[in-house]
Amino acid sequence: MVKKVRFIEPGPRSPYQASICNFYTYNKYIRNPSTGLITLTTLAKRVVADTLMYSEAISHIRFEDVYDADIIFISINTFNATRGYALAGQIRAHSRAVLVFGGLHASMNYPEAIRYCDYVLLGDGDESVPELIRTLGRGEEALFPGVVRWKDGKVVSNGARPQPEDIDTIPDRSLVYGYARLAKRYDTLWPQVHASRGCPHNCDYCAVVRHFGHKIRKRSPENVVEDIRQAIAFHRRRFPPRLSNCVWITDDNFAHDRAWAVSVLRAIIGSGIRYHFSVQARYETGFDDELLDLMRQAGFIELALGIEFLDDASFREFHKKSTYAEVVRAIENIQKHGLGVRGLFIVGAETDRVGVGDKIADFVIKNHIHGVLIQSMFFTPGTPAYEQGKGRLIHQDWQYYDGNVVHYPAHIKPHELQQEIINASAKIYSVPRLIHALLHAKGIFKGLFFGEFFWHRYIRQDLRRQLPYLRSLDGAPQPPPPVDPAP
């Protein structure tokens, strides 16, 4: 019988610690726990009363509480897989618990992950987590689809499980150890809601479609609104008032199902909720005037666009259906509707040369993009980009697969590409631009730029730590460049 279940979200290279930095710098020692893992913890709680989640994003793990659990679930993405495997080894040495890995990296790279645990769960865990708990509670072998296990010293996969259609679970954030206190203390933690899963596109570097599937699976508008209410209440405090009242809708492609997106926006408008919202969306959303007007009415302040590249050749290289001209036109129209634009950029394409950092910074400044994330090419195992580029990887130390340069680019040295990210960040988040934002930016964007100014300072510090190592590779033999993709 299963009496105690624990979930763990490993931290990256800088897990939580108490620090004054937590008041103004996101992702240095503090960051939002995974909404997906909170959802799975909520579903497990319905089966086993003694269920709790630890996230090294916001707390230390109380191992004395973990070791005597019957089942321990550890969820990993690529950037925190190294830490996850280390935690598994520590738990193995002190516990008889059944150890289960899940999450994007474990699901897409299960031959590696299964070496550190008893089971790996593939894909979404909404149905497989409760079923595994019940199965093990009966003392039975887990033979249902979506499970990878050891049998007679061999790795056995039960095959993929159909992704769940019913995803109307509101995550119980109180199940995360320490979260309730910190959510009210730090403005660097803010409400997050995931309203849909999946993406119909096939960008080579994207792990989302490989993990969540092409089909867009959606929560009901009423369920989304109630989740928003609860997320806001969980983070609300009376004094001092929050500096940033914004809900991040973390969907990867919010507006692809237009009818559903409209129904969600109308539900938010009709709910009486008065709050700010940010959401990720494809650039095509910028051509939909009605949708943009509804977003504005609902309280949305910005769209985070996966711009990625600034030349059409790179879009074609990674099968991203975009063009430079269309992206610029979308940005202009979004801004005409009173919404801000946040730009997400990737460096490391075949066309990138020295100067790509200035190119991105100049584009951001010229087009009045108020916030950015700039990272080197991701190579998540299981994606086409990984398969095509694995011969040019510098290493597979997963903890550095978080925006650092981890491959040999075609026309620029690794340390030069790393420096280009630093240069772009420093130019966009300079002191003069900070002063200008504080004096002239509208409303909440003052606070956002202030917080991101310090966040990017931390990012640049982290990137600089890798520069000596990357410079040491200059004389090292390099793998041959890949064959150019077909036009």
Side-chain angles (χ1 to χ4, degrees):
M1 182 175 180
V2 176
K3 297 182 178 180
K4 184 174 183 178
V5 176
R6 292 294 180 263
F7 287 78
I8 295 176
E9 179 186 23
R13 286 173 288 121
S14 55
Y16 172 82
Q17 68 182 57
S19 171
I20 191 69
C21 297
N22 295 340
F23 284 98
Y24 57 84
T25 302
Y26 183 76
N27 210 36
K28 185 172 185 179
Y29 302 127
I30 192 169
R31 61 198 65 82
N32 283 80
S34 163
T35 304
L37 194 59
I38 303 173
T39 301
L40 297 183
T41 306
T42 303
L43 291 166
K45 175 77 171 179
R46 299 175 184 174
V47 183
V48 176
D50 190 357
T51 295
L52 188 68
M53 172 181 160
Y54 289 95
S55 172
E56 289 192 308
I58 58 164
S59 74
H60 298 292
I61 298 170
R62 299 186 303 163
F63 286 102
E64 69 278 7
D65 176 58
V66 171
Y67 290 151
D68 65 346
D70 298 301
I71 306 176
I72 299 170
F73 293 89
I74 301 178
S75 178
I76 53 174
N77 285 305
T78 300
F79 67 88
N80 65 353
T82 301
R83 174 61 178 164
Y85 297 152
L87 287 172
Q90 180 177 340
I91 292 169
R92 276 269 193 250
H94 296 88
S95 172
R96 294 185 176 182
V98 174
L99 200 53
V100 184
F101 268 96
L104 189 149
H105 185 84
S107 181
M108 296 179 64
N109 196 18
Y110 71 80
E112 173 188 274
I114 192 63
R115 291 157 42 200
Y116 300 91
C117 61
D118 300 295
Y119 298 96
V120 171
L121 297 183
L122 307 178
D124 291 5
D126 305 55
E127 296 171 351
S128 54
V129 164
E131 185 169 357
L132 182 65
I133 293 172
R134 294 188 181 100
T135 300
L136 297 180
R138 294 191 299 266
E140 299 174 0
E141 191 175 7
L143 300 176
F144 55 88
V147 175
V148 177
R149 68 193 194 283
W150 289 103
K151 186 175 180 62
D152 300 326
K154 297 180 180 179
V155 179
V156 177
S157 172
N158 296 350
R161 183 188 191 112
Q163 296 284 46
E165 294 292 332
D166 180 5
I167 58 173
D168 271 3
T169 299
I170 296 177
D172 184 351
R173 297 164 179 87
S174 68
L175 294 177
V176 186
Y177 175 74
Y179 192 17
R181 178 178 60 87
L182 296 187
K184 290 176 170 57
R185 183 180 186 191
Y186 294 114
D187 287 290
T188 44
L189 301 175
W190 60 87
Q192 294 187 359
V193 171
H194 204 76
S196 66
R197 305 178 194 173
C199 180
H201 299 284
N202 280 302
C203 304
D204 287 353
Y205 47 80
C206 182
V208 169
V209 67
R210 278 86 199 175
H211 183 69
F212 290 115
H214 284 97
K215 182 180 179 180
I216 301 287
R217 292 167 290 132
K218 306 161 296 273
R219 296 167 65 183
S220 68
E222 299 77 18
N223 184 262
V224 173
V225 168
E226 179 56 29
D227 194 358
I228 290 171
R229 287 189 190 279
Q230 293 188 22
I232 292 172
F234 188 80
H235 290 78
R236 182 183 295 123
R237 66 172 180 243
R238 292 185 178 179
F239 185 83
R242 290 186 65 88
L243 297 175
S244 174
N245 293 314
C246 187
V247 174
W248 181 17
I249 308 294
T250 57
D251 299 29
D252 294 283
N253 199 340
F254 173 77
H256 179 77
D257 187 324
R258 186 182 186 281
W260 172 81
V262 167
S263 67
V264 171
L265 294 172
R266 293 194 185 282
I268 294 173
I269 294 168
S271 70
I273 295 173
R274 297 294 177 261
Y275 220 71
H276 296 305
F277 296 89
S278 174
V279 70
Q280 293 182 172
R282 287 265 306 181
Y283 78 92
E284 292 96 336
T285 306
F287 303 139
D288 193 326
D289 293 329
E290 180 189 4
L291 198 64
L292 294 174
D293 284 338
L294 285 172
M295 285 182 168
R296 182 69 175 169
Q297 292 175 45
F300 283 67
I301 59 170
E302 68 174 11
L303 274 68
L305 302 183
I307 298 171
E308 266 81 83
F309 313 108
L310 295 178
D311 63 274
D312 292 351
S314 295
F315 290 135
R316 291 192 297 270
E317 178 186 347
F318 294 101
H319 299 99
K320 183 175 177 66
K321 295 179 179 179
S322 303
T323 69
Y324 177 84
E326 288 178 329
V327 168
V328 171
R329 190 160 60 90
I331 291 171
E332 292 173 348
N333 199 46
I334 291 168
Q335 292 168 340
K336 285 180 182 177
H337 285 265
L339 297 166
V341 174
R342 179 172 300 278
L344 313 178
F345 297 92
I346 297 173
V347 300
E350 295 297 286
T351 57
D352 284 346
R353 308 283 201 285
V354 171
V356 65
D358 281 335
K359 182 179 180 181
I360 291 172
D362 292 343
F363 177 87
V364 167
I365 295 169
K366 176 183 177 182
N367 289 281
H368 309 290
I369 295 173
H370 64 80
V372 301
L373 175 63
I374 307 169
Q375 298 179 305
S376 185
M377 177 61 62
F378 275 81
F379 293 91
T380 304
T383 61
Y386 176 83
E387 292 303 320
Q388 296 161 13
K390 61 185 177 182
R392 298 171 65 186
L393 295 178
I394 296 170
H395 57 72
Q396 289 190 343
D397 189 348
W398 302 128
Q399 62 183 319
Y400 293 102
Y401 281 55
D402 60 352
N404 280 273
V405 175
V406 296
H407 76 297
Y408 291 97
H411 302 291
I412 184 173
K413 295 176 180 178
H415 76 85
E416 292 174 333
L417 187 61
Q418 187 96 336
Q419 186 65 54
E420 291 297 323
I421 303 173
I422 296 169
N423 294 347
S425 170
K427 193 169 185 177
I428 294 167
Y429 291 95
S430 65
V431 172
R433 280 180 50 79
L434 171 64
I435 294 171
H436 183 272
L438 294 177
L439 291 176
H440 302 289
K442 296 180 180 179
I444 193 172
F445 293 119
K446 294 180 187 288
L448 288 175
F449 198 95
F450 179 80
E452 290 176 29
F453 176 83
F454 289 100
W455 174 44
H456 272 263
R457 283 186 64 182
Y458 161 67
I459 290 175
R460 294 196 298 272
Q461 290 171 1
D462 187 62
L463 293 171
R464 288 189 184 105
R465 292 189 189 99
Q466 278 291 95
L467 282 176
Y469 167 69
L470 294 175
R471 285 194 189 98
S472 73
L473 303 174
D474 280 1
Q478 299 183 18
V483 176
D484 288 339

